[in-house]
Amino acid sequence: MTKTKLQLIFLFSIFIVFQCFSLGKSSHFELEDNSWLNDEDDEVNMVQSQQNSRNRCDFSVGKWVYDQSYPLYDSSCPYLSTAVTCQKNGRPDSDYEKWRWKPNSCSIPRFDALKFLGKMRRKRIMLVGDSIMRNQWESLVCLVQGVVPTGRKRVTYNGPSMAFHAMDFETSIEFSWAPLLVELNKGAEKKRILHLDLIEENAKYWRGVDVLVFDSAHWWTHSDKSSSWDYYMEGHSLYTNMNPMVAYQKGLTTWAKWVDLNLDPRKTRVIFRSMSPRHNRENGWRCYNQKQPLAYFSHQHVPEPLLVLQGVLRKMRFPVYLQDITTMSAFRRDGHPSVYRRAMGQEERQHPRDFSSDCSHWCLPGVPDSWNEILSALL
């Protein structure tokens, strides 16, 4: 073998050894670079990873765990509506405030108000929907407001929207009333018309927001006696009757088209929260005097609105995260205001069945706090 060939082989061997060393060193630094992640952060990242991730945490499957360190605030929070301050209104038990949701395959970080405000510095988060979304907004504001000095927080109003401002963080936590997402307007003879293909009157308030959280289901499922419209309208066609789930699918599709056409996923996060379950059977008395979560379901039921929602989201180009709180909340028949939706005197408490019972909304502190702990983890 010639001297030149030997030199070439020697140089090639050195090159291979150098490459192996470099790759090994690179892998070592990559591992060190990620080692600052603690378990909770890693679990949150699993949720935000691609759909094909085998380790992705499913927040919707788990159990309620009794925890004496809860709640994270009390019913004296000044931003709570009277209808959800069940302790103030005379509810005699308080264990419903002490349950936290524990997913089977991961843990949810305890809500940290300063950390949340740090993540949302110079940002707007808006919750859009019905009175149960207002329920969730009040929960989120109460989870946060305790760390904000009195003179550095305020609430402002703009049309159907309201906003809590943490001024030192330049953060706003907003709620926008749009229970059907699409437009509900007055027509001739004051008839109420639900426009299945119009949305801009509501959507104009959603522009420029960094994080949008939507919900819409309950108003679509109201019976004929309690529905909020007289006619459906699509294009120039007027309808007196339509399958509610067909109408819901049309309304959601209008919302989905607006999101696809008007929002940039590099600038805006969009989350759609699934429907909150009602325990309204027995004429609204299903939740009265309930003091414990259900231990299990005799049969698993997926509500039809959730199936419709999943179908619409699958067809979207914009990456919307579906926050499924339906099953976890269905365990909590103990968490509703029932008759304690208003202040009750001693005399009235002797005859509670003389009053109406609310098994749709949630006492605060309570179940929506867990929805917001998940929301914080997602962000």
Side-chain angles (χ1 to χ4, degrees), residues 157-178:
Y157 301 86
N158 177 27
S161 299
M162 57 201 304
F164 170 85
H165 300 268
M167 293 152 71
D168 292 332
F169 290 86
E170 299 176 58
T171 297
S172 63
I173 301 170
E174 306 176 36
F175 167 71
S176 188
W177 173 258

PDB file of all heavy atoms in Angstrom, residues 157-178:
ATOM      1  N   TYR A 157     -66.038  48.357  30.977  1.00  0.00           N
ATOM      2  CA  TYR A 157     -67.131  47.770  30.194  1.00  0.00           C
ATOM      3  C   TYR A 157     -67.114  48.348  28.783  1.00  0.00           C
ATOM      4  O   TYR A 157     -66.848  49.531  28.589  1.00  0.00           O
ATOM      5  CB  TYR A 157     -68.478  48.057  30.861  1.00  0.00           C
ATOM      6  CG  TYR A 157     -68.568  47.510  32.271  1.00  0.00           C
ATOM      7  CD1 TYR A 157     -68.105  48.261  33.359  1.00  0.00           C
ATOM      8  CD2 TYR A 157     -69.089  46.244  32.517  1.00  0.00           C
ATOM      9  CE1 TYR A 157     -68.169  47.765  34.650  1.00  0.00           C
ATOM     10  CE2 TYR A 157     -69.150  45.734  33.808  1.00  0.00           C
ATOM     11  CZ  TYR A 157     -68.694  46.500  34.868  1.00  0.00           C
ATOM     12  OH  TYR A 157     -68.743  45.994  36.145  1.00  0.00           O
ATOM     13  N   ASN A 158     -67.419  47.489  27.790  1.00  0.00           N
ATOM     14  CA  ASN A 158     -67.466  47.921  26.397  1.00  0.00           C
ATOM     15  C   ASN A 158     -68.508  47.084  25.671  1.00  0.00           C
ATOM     16  O   ASN A 158     -68.255  45.940  25.293  1.00  0.00           O
ATOM     17  CB  ASN A 158     -66.091  47.756  25.734  1.00  0.00           C
ATOM     18  CG  ASN A 158     -66.109  48.132  24.255  1.00  0.00           C
ATOM     19  OD1 ASN A 158     -66.932  48.959  23.833  1.00  0.00           O
ATOM     20  ND2 ASN A 158     -65.238  47.517  23.462  1.00  0.00           N
ATOM     21  N   GLY A 159     -69.713  47.647  25.512  1.00  0.00           N
ATOM     22  CA  GLY A 159     -70.791  46.892  24.866  1.00  0.00           C
ATOM     23  C   GLY A 159     -71.098  45.625  25.654  1.00  0.00           C
ATOM     24  O   GLY A 159     -71.335  45.675  26.878  1.00  0.00           O
ATOM     25  N   PRO A 160     -71.056  44.452  25.001  1.00  0.00           N
ATOM     26  CA  PRO A 160     -71.357  43.197  25.701  1.00  0.00           C
ATOM     27  C   PRO A 160     -70.150  42.620  26.436  1.00  0.00           C
ATOM     28  O   PRO A 160     -70.212  41.504  26.947  1.00  0.00           O
ATOM     29  CB  PRO A 160     -71.770  42.264  24.552  1.00  0.00           C
ATOM     30  CG  PRO A 160     -70.930  42.738  23.398  1.00  0.00           C
ATOM     31  CD  PRO A 160     -70.827  44.233  23.550  1.00  0.00           C
ATOM     32  N   SER A 161     -69.055  43.381  26.495  1.00  0.00           N
ATOM     33  CA  SER A 161     -67.807  42.870  27.076  1.00  0.00           C
ATOM     34  C   SER A 161     -67.463  43.606  28.370  1.00  0.00           C
ATOM     35  O   SER A 161     -67.794  44.779  28.547  1.00  0.00           O
ATOM     36  CB  SER A 161     -66.644  43.032  26.090  1.00  0.00           C
ATOM     37  OG  SER A 161     -66.895  42.297  24.906  1.00  0.00           O
ATOM     38  N   MET A 162     -66.792  42.894  29.271  1.00  0.00           N
ATOM     39  CA  MET A 162     -66.268  43.486  30.494  1.00  0.00           C
ATOM     40  C   MET A 162     -64.859  42.967  30.697  1.00  0.00           C
ATOM     41  O   MET A 162     -64.532  41.852  30.265  1.00  0.00           O
ATOM     42  CB  MET A 162     -67.169  43.159  31.686  1.00  0.00           C
ATOM     43  CG  MET A 162     -67.393  41.695  31.924  1.00  0.00           C
ATOM     44  SD  MET A 162     -68.877  41.349  32.907  1.00  0.00           S
ATOM     45  CE  MET A 162     -68.575  42.322  34.364  1.00  0.00           C
ATOM     46  N   ALA A 163     -64.015  43.766  31.333  1.00  0.00           N
ATOM     47  CA  ALA A 163     -62.603  43.391  31.463  1.00  0.00           C
ATOM     48  C   ALA A 163     -62.067  43.751  32.839  1.00  0.00           C
ATOM     49  O   ALA A 163     -62.273  44.866  33.331  1.00  0.00           O
ATOM     50  CB  ALA A 163     -61.776  44.089  30.383  1.00  0.00           C
ATOM     51  N   PHE A 164     -61.381  42.782  33.449  1.00  0.00           N
ATOM     52  CA  PHE A 164     -60.616  43.018  34.673  1.00  0.00           C
ATOM     53  C   PHE A 164     -59.190  43.344  34.252  1.00  0.00           C
ATOM     54  O   PHE A 164     -58.570  42.595  33.495  1.00  0.00           O
ATOM     55  CB  PHE A 164     -60.631  41.771  35.565  1.00  0.00           C
ATOM     56  CG  PHE A 164     -59.675  41.841  36.730  1.00  0.00           C
ATOM     57  CD1 PHE A 164     -60.051  42.454  37.915  1.00  0.00           C
ATOM     58  CD2 PHE A 164     -58.390  41.307  36.634  1.00  0.00           C
ATOM     59  CE1 PHE A 164     -59.168  42.525  38.987  1.00  0.00           C
ATOM     60  CE2 PHE A 164     -57.510  41.366  37.698  1.00  0.00           C
ATOM     61  CZ  PHE A 164     -57.898  41.981  38.878  1.00  0.00           C
ATOM     62  N   HIS A 165     -58.648  44.461  34.748  1.00  0.00           N
ATOM     63  CA  HIS A 165     -57.306  44.899  34.374  1.00  0.00           C
ATOM     64  C   HIS A 165     -56.358  44.777  35.566  1.00  0.00           C
ATOM     65  O   HIS A 165     -56.628  45.342  36.637  1.00  0.00           O
ATOM     66  CB  HIS A 165     -57.313  46.352  33.892  1.00  0.00           C
ATOM     67  CG  HIS A 165     -58.181  46.590  32.700  1.00  0.00           C
ATOM     68  ND1 HIS A 165     -57.721  46.518  31.404  1.00  0.00           N
ATOM     69  CD2 HIS A 165     -59.505  46.894  32.617  1.00  0.00           C
ATOM     70  CE1 HIS A 165     -58.712  46.774  30.567  1.00  0.00           C
ATOM     71  NE2 HIS A 165     -59.805  47.010  31.272  1.00  0.00           N
ATOM     72  N   ALA A 166     -55.269  44.034  35.384  1.00  0.00           N
ATOM     73  CA  ALA A 166     -54.154  44.035  36.338  1.00  0.00           C
ATOM     74  C   ALA A 166     -53.145  45.021  35.769  1.00  0.00           C
ATOM     75  O   ALA A 166     -52.358  44.690  34.868  1.00  0.00           O
ATOM     76  CB  ALA A 166     -53.568  42.634  36.472  1.00  0.00           C
ATOM     77  N   MET A 167     -53.169  46.247  36.258  1.00  0.00           N
ATOM     78  CA  MET A 167     -52.506  47.350  35.575  1.00  0.00           C
ATOM     79  C   MET A 167     -50.985  47.231  35.546  1.00  0.00           C
ATOM     80  O   MET A 167     -50.345  47.586  34.554  1.00  0.00           O
ATOM     81  CB  MET A 167     -52.946  48.670  36.211  1.00  0.00           C
ATOM     82  CG  MET A 167     -54.437  48.936  35.950  1.00  0.00           C
ATOM     83  SD  MET A 167     -55.255  49.940  37.201  1.00  0.00           S
ATOM     84  CE  MET A 167     -54.527  51.528  36.870  1.00  0.00           C
ATOM     85  N   ASP A 168     -50.377  46.711  36.611  1.00  0.00           N
ATOM     86  CA  ASP A 168     -48.914  46.588  36.638  1.00  0.00           C
ATOM     87  C   ASP A 168     -48.407  45.548  35.637  1.00  0.00           C
ATOM     88  O   ASP A 168     -47.250  45.603  35.226  1.00  0.00           O
ATOM     89  CB  ASP A 168     -48.438  46.232  38.047  1.00  0.00           C
ATOM     90  CG  ASP A 168     -48.649  47.377  39.023  1.00  0.00           C
ATOM     91  OD1 ASP A 168     -48.636  48.539  38.567  1.00  0.00           O
ATOM     92  OD2 ASP A 168     -48.846  47.118  40.222  1.00  0.00           O
ATOM     93  N   PHE A 169     -49.263  44.615  35.277  1.00  0.00           N
ATOM     94  CA  PHE A 169     -48.879  43.586  34.311  1.00  0.00           C
ATOM     95  C   PHE A 169     -49.362  43.929  32.902  1.00  0.00           C
ATOM     96  O   PHE A 169     -49.048  43.217  31.945  1.00  0.00           O
ATOM     97  CB  PHE A 169     -49.458  42.222  34.727  1.00  0.00           C
ATOM     98  CG  PHE A 169     -48.819  41.642  35.953  1.00  0.00           C
ATOM     99  CD1 PHE A 169     -49.274  41.987  37.220  1.00  0.00           C
ATOM    100  CD2 PHE A 169     -47.755  40.755  35.851  1.00  0.00           C
ATOM    101  CE1 PHE A 169     -48.687  41.446  38.364  1.00  0.00           C
ATOM    102  CE2 PHE A 169     -47.159  40.215  36.981  1.00  0.00           C
ATOM    103  CZ  PHE A 169     -47.629  40.564  38.235  1.00  0.00           C
ATOM    104  N   GLU A 170     -50.158  44.997  32.790  1.00  0.00           N
ATOM    105  CA  GLU A 170     -50.785  45.376  31.514  1.00  0.00           C
ATOM    106  C   GLU A 170     -51.551  44.186  30.938  1.00  0.00           C
ATOM    107  O   GLU A 170     -51.523  43.917  29.730  1.00  0.00           O
ATOM    108  CB  GLU A 170     -49.730  45.883  30.517  1.00  0.00           C
ATOM    109  CG  GLU A 170     -48.996  47.123  31.001  1.00  0.00           C
ATOM    110  CD  GLU A 170     -47.890  47.549  30.061  1.00  0.00           C
ATOM    111  OE1 GLU A 170     -48.195  47.811  28.877  1.00  0.00           O
ATOM    112  OE2 GLU A 170     -46.719  47.591  30.488  1.00  0.00           O
ATOM    113  N   THR A 171     -52.237  43.475  31.834  1.00  0.00           N
ATOM    114  CA  THR A 171     -52.988  42.280  31.471  1.00  0.00           C
ATOM    115  C   THR A 171     -54.476  42.540  31.650  1.00  0.00           C
ATOM    116  O   THR A 171     -54.885  43.171  32.630  1.00  0.00           O
ATOM    117  CB  THR A 171     -52.582  41.093  32.380  1.00  0.00           C
ATOM    118  OG1 THR A 171     -51.211  40.800  32.172  1.00  0.00           O
ATOM    119  CG2 THR A 171     -53.422  39.855  32.105  1.00  0.00           C
ATOM    120  N   SER A 172     -55.284  42.056  30.717  1.00  0.00           N
ATOM    121  CA  SER A 172     -56.735  42.130  30.906  1.00  0.00           C
ATOM    122  C   SER A 172     -57.337  40.735  30.769  1.00  0.00           C
ATOM    123  O   SER A 172     -56.952  39.958  29.894  1.00  0.00           O
ATOM    124  CB  SER A 172     -57.384  43.095  29.903  1.00  0.00           C
ATOM    125  OG  SER A 172     -57.204  42.646  28.580  1.00  0.00           O
ATOM    126  N   ILE A 173     -58.247  40.433  31.691  1.00  0.00           N
ATOM    127  CA  ILE A 173     -59.006  39.178  31.670  1.00  0.00           C
ATOM    128  C   ILE A 173     -60.441  39.575  31.356  1.00  0.00           C
ATOM    129  O   ILE A 173     -61.099  40.232  32.171  1.00  0.00           O
ATOM    130  CB  ILE A 173     -58.910  38.447  33.024  1.00  0.00           C
ATOM    131  CG1 ILE A 173     -57.447  38.148  33.358  1.00  0.00           C
ATOM    132  CG2 ILE A 173     -59.733  37.160  33.004  1.00  0.00           C
ATOM    133  CD1 ILE A 173     -57.235  37.640  34.785  1.00  0.00           C
ATOM    134  N   GLU A 174     -60.929  39.194  30.181  1.00  0.00           N
ATOM    135  CA  GLU A 174     -62.172  39.761  29.660  1.00  0.00           C
ATOM    136  C   GLU A 174     -63.259  38.699  29.465  1.00  0.00           C
ATOM    137  O   GLU A 174     -62.964  37.517  29.292  1.00  0.00           O
ATOM    138  CB  GLU A 174     -61.890  40.468  28.330  1.00  0.00           C
ATOM    139  CG  GLU A 174     -60.769  41.498  28.439  1.00  0.00           C
ATOM    140  CD  GLU A 174     -60.399  42.150  27.126  1.00  0.00           C
ATOM    141  OE1 GLU A 174     -61.314  42.376  26.294  1.00  0.00           O
ATOM    142  OE2 GLU A 174     -59.197  42.422  26.906  1.00  0.00           O
ATOM    143  N   PHE A 175     -64.488  39.156  29.517  1.00  0.00           N
ATOM    144  CA  PHE A 175     -65.634  38.310  29.193  1.00  0.00           C
ATOM    145  C   PHE A 175     -66.476  39.022  28.155  1.00  0.00           C
ATOM    146  O   PHE A 175     -66.749  40.220  28.280  1.00  0.00           O
ATOM    147  CB  PHE A 175     -66.484  38.031  30.437  1.00  0.00           C
ATOM    148  CG  PHE A 175     -67.832  37.423  30.115  1.00  0.00           C
ATOM    149  CD1 PHE A 175     -67.921  36.110  29.669  1.00  0.00           C
ATOM    150  CD2 PHE A 175     -68.992  38.172  30.232  1.00  0.00           C
ATOM    151  CE1 PHE A 175     -69.155  35.559  29.345  1.00  0.00           C
ATOM    152  CE2 PHE A 175     -70.234  37.624  29.921  1.00  0.00           C
ATOM    153  CZ  PHE A 175     -70.303  36.308  29.472  1.00  0.00           C
ATOM    154  N   SER A 176     -66.894  38.294  27.113  1.00  0.00           N
ATOM    155  CA  SER A 176     -67.754  38.864  26.084  1.00  0.00           C
ATOM    156  C   SER A 176     -68.997  38.000  25.927  1.00  0.00           C
ATOM    157  O   SER A 176     -68.902  36.797  25.677  1.00  0.00           O
ATOM    158  CB  SER A 176     -66.996  38.958  24.746  1.00  0.00           C
ATOM    159  OG  SER A 176     -67.758  39.678  23.795  1.00  0.00           O
ATOM    160  N   TRP A 177     -70.137  38.625  26.109  1.00  0.00           N
ATOM    161  CA  TRP A 177     -71.425  37.918  26.067  1.00  0.00           C
ATOM    162  C   TRP A 177     -71.790  37.579  24.621  1.00  0.00           C
ATOM    163  O   TRP A 177     -72.020  38.462  23.802  1.00  0.00           O
ATOM    164  CB  TRP A 177     -72.503  38.787  26.706  1.00  0.00           C
ATOM    165  CG  TRP A 177     -73.899  38.262  26.591  1.00  0.00           C
ATOM    166  CD1 TRP A 177     -74.864  38.682  25.719  1.00  0.00           C
ATOM    167  CD2 TRP A 177     -74.498  37.224  27.379  1.00  0.00           C
ATOM    168  NE1 TRP A 177     -76.022  37.970  25.929  1.00  0.00           N
ATOM    169  CE2 TRP A 177     -75.823  37.073  26.931  1.00  0.00           C
ATOM    170  CE3 TRP A 177     -74.023  36.421  28.420  1.00  0.00           C
ATOM    171  CZ2 TRP A 177     -76.695  36.137  27.493  1.00  0.00           C
ATOM    172  CZ3 TRP A 177     -74.887  35.488  28.979  1.00  0.00           C
ATOM    173  CH2 TRP A 177     -76.203  35.359  28.522  1.00  0.00           C
ATOM    174  N   ALA A 178     -71.821  36.307  24.289  1.00  0.00           N
ATOM    175  CA  ALA A 178     -72.239  35.839  22.964  1.00  0.00           C
ATOM    176  C   ALA A 178     -72.662  34.377  23.100  1.00  0.00           C
ATOM    177  O   ALA A 178     -71.963  33.473  22.661  1.00  0.00           O
ATOM    178  CB  ALA A 178     -71.103  35.984  21.948  1.00  0.00           C
TER     179      ALA A 178
END
